[in-house]
Amino acid sequence: MPVPRPASFAAEPIAATSAAARTLSEAERQASGVGAAAGAEPDVDIIVLGVLLGGADERALVRTPDGENRRVSRGDVIAGWSVSAIGEDFVRLRRASQTRELKVPQ
């Protein structure tokens, strides 16, 4: 059964406009202890904001390292990482032999 689209899941990508909305750098993430809670692996500056599943149409809203919010599908490339899977609460990324699974923050 598809997960309903949250009201906060924008129809179009929106750009982060405030310092509070920007992506944390690795140093800031380590200092604040935000890493896993924000849905990002320590070496991946991509944050999963939400997931939309509907049959074969799997999409996710992510925040890229430059602070841009983007809608992505399987096969899209973000900051050198390829989206290999989108699940109910995660986005799986692949780059060469590396794989990272980023969780949607609770």
Side-chain angles (χ1 to χ4, degrees):
M1 177 174 212
V3 177
R5 181 185 190 130
S8 61
F9 196 93
E12 294 297 320
I14 55 172
T17 56
S18 70
R22 69 182 169 80
T23 303
L24 295 176
S25 70
E26 177 58 22
E28 291 169 321
R29 197 176 292 118
Q30 286 179 349
S32 66
V34 171
E41 288 282 329
D43 62 339
V44 180
D45 285 333
I46 299 167
I47 298 172
V48 179
L49 302 174
V51 169
L52 176 63
L53 301 176
D57 189 25
E58 302 168 339
R59 293 186 183 179
L61 181 64
V62 299
R63 181 164 298 135
T64 63
D66 62 3
E68 177 186 353
N69 292 346
R70 279 186 48 198
R71 235 181 343 196
V72 296
S73 299
R74 196 162 47 128
D76 288 349
V77 177
I78 315 159
W81 291 89
S82 176
V83 178
S84 62
I86 298 174
E88 193 171 296
D89 65 345
F90 71 89
V91 172
R92 188 171 302 129
L93 303 174
R94 180 178 300 276
R95 179 173 64 191
S97 63
Q98 299 178 336
T99 301
R100 298 291 185 270
E101 191 167 286
L102 308 180
K103 297 284 188 178
V104 176
Q106 298 297 320

